[in-house]
Amino acid sequence: IDADAVLMASPDLEDYPEREGLKCLAPSDSLPRWRNVSLIYAENAENIAIGGRGAIDCNGHLFVKEKTDPNWKGMQYERTVEPRKTIARVVIFAGCKNVTVSDVTMRNQPAGWSYWINDCDFVIFDRVKILAAVNYPNNDGIHINCSRNVSVSNSFIETGDDAIVIRANSRTINEIKPCERVVIANCTLRSWCNGIRIGWTNDGVIRNCTGSNVVMYDTSHGINIEVPKKAGKNDWGCEASLVENMTFSNIEMVGITGKPIACSVSPHPSVSSEAIRNIRFNEIHATARKFPQFKAPADRPFENFTFTNCTFKRIHESELPDWRRHGAGAGDANCEFILEHCKGFTFTNTEFESY
């Protein structure tokens, strides 16, 4: 896409039909929001790229509307149609190998994920911009699922939902595969949900990933490892969750309305989890409304978390006066440092400061 060119998405929902006969995605009944619809789709492809200094404009403002309740919380906008009719994703790569997305800008996303990387190998995002409206719902940035050897570097990502997601939802591909060896480096993230989210309900194995030299600002939560109970949207996996061997280093977080770091597994019977272990945080410096929080089930404690040379400064909510209207940052009011059922947590030269 040339520097002065714009690929403009159609304003007509009828131009986004459900695809049939796909080889690399499960039937839509097993997909989040029950749809495989996207603007751009590639499967079983090798040596492909989206590049150039031009833009993909998703026409997203046509698919959302502002809430009429003057006392709204969370997101300012909502979908104009129910989820089964939305543009669920903008770009899908499924079962692909040797994929590069470079230099291009994606903007004005609808209530749908920007990029979905599903069961792919050797994927590079470099020097990309993702400019989604922060007050629109569910417009994730880069959603990496059941894939291997993925790099996201030198990029600016601004979203209403999670900026970068790492998951292992094998139900979407009808084959059990881990998500591993994901590298996030030299990026700037802004999100009214999570800067980096790892896991979800009954995802499988997620391991051997790193995040370094990242700036997060005006973000609801920073790094969030989460296994919640089953909810709507048909978005859950088919395995016990196992998250292990993660390192996050040299990360600055400024103006976080929620938790700078969080890790939680729901005790609900619908949740299956094996372990969350061997997670390292080095040189994390955060200014946030909350302290970090870690909540594990009593029979599956979190194991071997280390914090080295980190600072967590909790600021009064008056310094973030709009936190109730900050997407996922409008959560519960508990701002304390929480450790529930945690084993082998080590803090070295790590400071906690409160107002």
Side-chain angles (χ1 to χ4, degrees):
I1 306 176
D2 290 339
D4 58 351
V6 177
L7 177 64
M8 183 69 71
S10 170
D12 187 353
L13 285 174
E14 297 300 318
D15 289 334
Y16 302 88
E18 188 78 9
R19 293 180 172 87
E20 298 182 358
L22 298 183
K23 299 176 181 179
C24 299
L25 283 183
S28 289
D29 284 347
S30 295
L31 303 182
R33 287 172 181 78
W34 307 273
R35 304 211 77 190
N36 64 37
V37 165
S38 65
L39 175 64
I40 297 170
Y41 182 88
E43 67 170 359
N44 272 347
E46 295 190 21
N47 305 316
I48 61 174
I50 298 175
R53 297 186 179 276
I56 300 171
D57 191 310
C58 305
N59 247 328
H61 65 283
L62 300 177
F63 304 107
V64 296
K65 60 182 178 182
E66 191 169 3
K67 293 178 179 177
T68 56
D69 183 356
N71 298 314
W72 63 269
K73 294 181 181 180
M75 292 297 179
Q76 185 177 359
Y77 287 79
E78 60 189 359
R79 290 182 175 86
T80 56
V81 296
E82 56 96 12
R84 290 178 184 267
K85 296 181 180 180
T86 58
I87 306 169
R89 260 64 66 173
V90 180
V91 176
I92 297 176
F93 295 115
C96 296
K97 186 175 182 180
N98 298 331
V99 179
T100 300
V101 181
S102 60
D103 298 308
V104 72
T105 296
M106 183 184 290
R107 67 194 186 205
N108 193 15
Q109 287 84 325
W113 306 347
S114 301
Y115 295 93
W116 193 18
I117 313 304
N118 217 27
D119 188 20
C120 293
D121 285 283
F122 303 108
V123 180
I124 294 174
F125 284 84
D126 190 40
R127 304 183 307 275
V128 302
K129 294 186 183 72
I130 297 175
L131 305 177
V134 293
N135 51 8
Y136 286 11
N138 196 229
N139 53 9
D140 297 46
I142 301 174
H143 204 289
I144 303 161
N145 185 61
C146 292
S147 295
R148 287 116 349 241
N149 307 307
V150 180
S151 172
V152 182
S153 61
N154 307 312
S155 296
F156 181 90
I157 302 174
E158 181 176 86
T159 58
D161 213 324
D162 305 322
I164 298 175
V165 182
I166 304 173
R167 291 192 58 185
N169 179 2
S170 292
R171 199 165 69 100
T172 65
I173 59 175
N174 283 335
E175 186 176 357
I176 302 299
K177 291 188 177 182
C179 195
E180 55 189 346
R181 299 186 298 278
V182 176
V183 175
I184 301 165
N186 307 324
C187 292
T188 301
L189 309 178
R190 180 191 182 204
S191 168
W192 276 22
C193 197
N194 300 295
I196 298 173
R197 175 165 68 82
I198 299 167
W200 199 243
T201 310
N202 300 349
D203 280 1
V205 176
I206 305 172
R207 62 193 176 200
N208 304 331
C209 302
T210 68
S212 63
N213 302 328
V214 174
V215 174
M216 301 184 191
Y217 75 100
D218 188 34
T219 296
S220 293
H221 305 300
I223 300 167
N224 192 1
I225 304 173
E226 185 175 8
V227 184
K229 68 180 182 180
K230 281 186 179 180
K233 301 170 287 189
N234 200 34
D235 192 3
W236 56 80
C238 58
E239 304 172 75
S241 296
L242 171 60
V243 179
E244 62 180 359
N245 305 333
M246 304 271 176
T247 300
F248 299 96
S249 58
N250 298 318
I251 297 178
E252 296 286 337
M253 303 182 190
V254 181
I256 307 298
T257 59
K259 300 177 281 284
I261 298 175
C263 187
S264 62
V265 173
S266 170
H268 194 272
S270 67
V271 170
S272 178
S273 68
E274 180 178 342
I276 299 179
R277 62 195 179 202
N278 305 333
I279 315 294
R280 295 165 293 274
F281 298 96
N282 306 318
E283 296 286 355
I284 310 297
H285 304 287
T287 301
R289 187 174 63 89
K290 296 187 176 188
F291 277 139
Q293 298 183 358
F294 305 90
K295 300 179 181 181
D299 60 338
R300 285 153 291 156
F302 301 150
E303 298 181 76
N304 302 330
F305 282 49
T306 64
F307 300 79
T308 305
N309 299 331
C310 298
T311 58
F312 299 101
K313 181 178 180 180
R314 179 182 159 198
I315 58 177
H316 193 271
E317 63 182 44
S318 61
E319 297 189 46
L320 300 166
D322 294 325
W323 67 268
R324 291 180 179 83
R325 292 189 165 189
H326 199 282
D332 65 82
N334 190 340
C335 299
E336 301 302 320
F337 176 53
I338 297 175
L339 287 175
E340 289 184 2
H341 310 301
C342 298
K343 179 180 178 181
F345 273 52
T346 302
F347 298 84
T348 303
N349 194 29
T350 293
E351 299 179 359
F352 295 81
E353 178 184 347
S354 188
Y355 57 86

